[in-house]
Amino acid sequence: MRHVLAGLVLSSTLVAHAWDGQPTHIYGVNLGSWLVLEPWMLPQEWLDMGGQSCADDCWTCIATESSFAKAYPDTVDTTFAQHWDTWFTQDNVNTLKAAGINTVRVPLGYWIVEALVDRSHESYPRGGLKYLRRGLGWLKDAGIQAILDHHALPGVQTPGQMFTGNCTSDVQFYTPYNYHRALVWTAVMTALSHLDPDFGSVFAIEAINEPIMNATQTPNYGTFQRNFVQVIRAVELTLGIFVPSSNLSLSVPLSVSNNFTAALSATSSATIFPVEVQAALLAAVPILLEIGVASGLQTIFEASPFKRSRTSLVANFMDVNWQYDNPSNPADVAIGPQAYDNHLYYSFGGVAAADPTSYLISICNLSRIQADAAVGDSPLWFGEWGLSTEFNATDEFLYKWADAQKLAYSKGAGWIYWNFKTEISPLTNGSALARQWSYLEGLKLGFLNQDPAALHDPDVCVPYMNSTTNSTNS
């Protein structure tokens, strides 16, 4: 995000062959506020559930899943089950499929793996995994691929944000204890992605959503990146999955060839992996056994041959340029397929002057794809973007704004819109929020095309190319 280099071109060949069997370009949406709820996106439903709207910062009232669970310990699970059941539905999948969407990014909290929650001081709703499995099954049937996005990390990765599930200034993710819990989460999600039929749509796992941008405040994040990759590959090697560009090899004892969890336990002692990886694999075993019993996967996990032909998952990271002040580069720890994510919202300021011309000059001369390619962070997709602005945007501008962003992001691996929908209610001024934040509403209003690869005006950027304006971080 901070490095701007010109003159480098990311070839379409690199994008097309970054991971075998996947679409050449990603045209996607986020399933935000489903399994990690952000009240600003559904303010009336949140109040109806029993939440609150904070007059000040989000830690001052019931504005996150954590604060809600603490306020309503006896009813939180039932209340959230109703939300999970209705916010993302089969009808939504059908609409997205008809609109040409080929990818969804699924924001998840660490508490989706309930055994990782320390109930002595952490509170979150329980039961979300059931709805995740159902939703992924719908997506698989529709032929829409999924990214499991670790959106809300144990200990909280970024201060003062609803999307972490616990709005606080006390950031504790960047510690050995919480790095460990995140690695266990990764092992569990990798195993489910390969073994649970409902997870058949999953092609990538994202390590962490939006870490603190100042790299001096994320100690040992580079080590976590290395361990994240190796946890995924350790599970895959246990499953007998070929990992491209890997020198790692692993022999699974014949005695456990029909018992995946026993084989994973054996892998946890393999000295080819760092001790942090070994510990995460071992800790994942009883959690998988528990999930197996609860989800009807016991035979698959414990009493079935598990070595079958599968494709290795894409390890996904926020790109190195998301951070500044000498960040670690996830490209340095790549083993097998890997891809990178950048998020770009002009409405939060700091990107371009707050007027239509400056926005279009900035996006039409965007250099983030080239800057990332220069340091090995490719393929790159834009995992969050939208039509929101710092000014009152006309309909005429939003047609151009949608086209220009899609054009810019499609020069990389593609784009994933935030969000698939938002609430429409008096508290959102009718459709005012959805107009610039909801993909489904954008389709209805015509700003976004039914064919996601199409543009209203393919020459939208021609008048703005090679222009300059008062902009930063482009």
Side-chain angles (χ1 to χ4, degrees):
M1 193 169 183
R2 308 298 183 189
H3 300 174
V4 179
L5 301 175
L8 296 170
V9 178
L10 179 61
S11 72
S12 60
T13 301
L14 177 58
V15 173
H17 295 92
W19 48 88
D20 293 336
Q22 304 302 326
T24 300
H25 277 88
I26 285 174
Y27 302 118
V29 295
N30 282 273
L31 301 186
S33 268
W34 181 34
L35 293 162
V36 177
L37 195 154
E38 299 182 44
W40 69 271
M41 299 171 66
L42 57 161
Q44 186 61 62
E45 180 179 338
W46 183 244
L47 294 181
D48 293 345
M49 290 169 69
Q52 298 173 335
S53 177
C54 304
D56 298 307
D57 294 312
C58 56
W59 55 74
T60 61
C61 74
I62 302 173
T64 61
E65 296 200 22
S66 175
S67 59
F68 191 100
K70 290 177 179 177
Y72 303 105
D74 297 329
T75 58
V76 57
D77 298 345
T78 302
T79 301
F80 268 80
Q82 174 67 17
H83 167 73
W84 296 327
D85 190 46
T86 56
W87 183 251
F88 175 61
T89 66
Q90 178 70 66
D91 285 345
N92 295 142
V93 175
N94 297 343
T95 302
L96 294 172
K97 176 68 174 178
I101 292 299
N102 62 27
T103 304
V104 298
R105 180 171 176 260
V106 187
L108 298 172
Y110 78 94
W111 57 90
I112 198 82
V113 180
E114 294 170 12
L116 293 175
V117 178
D118 184 345
R119 297 287 169 183
S120 69
H121 66 281
E122 295 175 336
S123 298
Y124 291 95
R126 289 170 287 201
L129 184 61
K130 167 187 172 182
Y131 295 93
L132 173 61
R133 295 182 68 228
R134 184 180 72 173
L136 290 175
W138 292 336
L139 293 165
K140 180 186 70 172
D141 292 343
I144 298 174
Q145 64 182 10
I147 301 165
L148 302 182
D149 156 38
H150 205 171
H151 207 74
L153 281 292
V156 177
Q157 77 274 23
T158 301
Q161 294 290 345
M162 291 179 181
F163 70 69
T164 64
N166 179 18
C167 186
T168 178
S169 59
D170 185 20
V171 174
Q172 293 294 322
F173 171 63
Y174 307 97
T175 63
Y177 172 62
N178 285 317
Y179 280 142
H180 169 74
R181 288 201 287 174
L183 293 175
V184 177
W185 184 96
T186 303
V188 170
M189 287 297 153
T190 302
L192 288 172
S193 296
H194 285 300
L195 292 172
D196 184 347
D198 286 332
F199 276 67
S201 59
V202 175
F203 84 103
I205 300 179
E206 186 162 13
I208 170 175
N209 174 69
E210 297 191 359
I212 293 173
M213 288 182 165
N214 185 343
T216 65
Q217 298 177 21
T218 59
N220 299 311
Y221 178 43
T223 301
F224 170 72
Q225 292 173 332
R226 177 202 68 185
N227 291 337
F228 171 83
V229 172
Q230 294 206 26
V231 164
I232 292 176
R233 304 312 174 207
V235 173
E236 292 182 334
L237 289 171
T238 303
L239 289 165
I241 296 171
F242 171 70
V243 180
S245 305
S246 170
N247 294 321
L248 295 173
S249 63
L250 185 69
S251 178
V252 175
L254 184 62
S255 60
V256 294
S257 60
N258 289 333
N259 187 330
F260 168 71
T261 49
L264 190 63
S265 181
T267 299
S268 72
S269 62
T271 56
I272 60 172
F273 300 113
V275 293
E276 300 97 330
V277 172
Q278 295 177 35
L281 299 176
L282 186 62
V285 171
I287 295 174
L288 286 167
L289 291 171
E290 181 180 331
I291 291 172
V293 172
S295 303
L297 299 170
Q298 197 169 11
T299 299
I300 292 175
F301 287 165
E302 298 183 67
S304 298
F306 53 82
K307 288 199 173 185
R308 297 191 298 273
S309 177
R310 299 182 182 88
T311 301
S312 53
L313 295 170
V314 175
N316 185 209
F317 292 97
M318 298 295 296
D319 61 329
V320 63
N321 290 318
W322 175 259
Q323 292 189 298
Y324 62 90
D325 208 344
N326 195 32
S328 54
N329 188 348
D332 294 339
V333 298
I335 302 172
Q338 194 155 296
Y340 306 88
D341 180 13
N342 190 269
H343 300 169
L344 184 51
Y345 293 113
Y346 281 69
S347 56
F348 298 144
V351 183
D355 64 84
T357 298
S358 295
Y359 271 37
L360 289 169
I361 290 174
S362 173
I363 194 65
C364 290
N365 294 279
L366 190 73
S367 58
R368 294 189 182 192
I369 297 165
Q370 297 94 323
D372 273 7
V375 293
D377 283 21
S378 52
L380 172 73
W381 58 66
F382 286 79
E384 292 188 22
W385 67 284
L387 300 183
S388 57
T389 58
E390 298 169 275
F391 50 86
N392 292 326
T394 64
D395 286 357
E396 180 184 8
F397 174 74
L398 290 182
Y399 280 102
K400 293 181 179 180
W401 190 219
D403 275 358
Q405 289 191 84
K406 288 165 61 179
L407 182 64
Y409 306 148
S410 294
K411 293 177 182 177
W415 48 261
I416 307 172
Y417 194 93
W418 188 279
N419 189 42
F420 83 108
K421 74 173 186 179
T422 62
E423 179 181 279
I424 297 176
S425 72
L427 288 183
T428 63
N429 193 20
S431 62
L433 179 70
R435 177 174 178 260
Q436 292 178 270
W437 287 97
S438 166
Y439 194 86
L440 297 180
E441 187 68 13
L443 287 174
K444 291 179 183 177
L445 296 173
F447 306 139
L448 299 164
N449 309 69
Q450 279 292 329
D451 176 0
L455 302 173
H456 298 290
D457 178 10
D459 296 324
V460 62
C461 277
V462 171
Y464 306 99
M465 291 298 294
N466 302 315
S467 298
T468 59
T469 186
N470 180 24
S471 63
T472 59
N473 304 330
S474 61

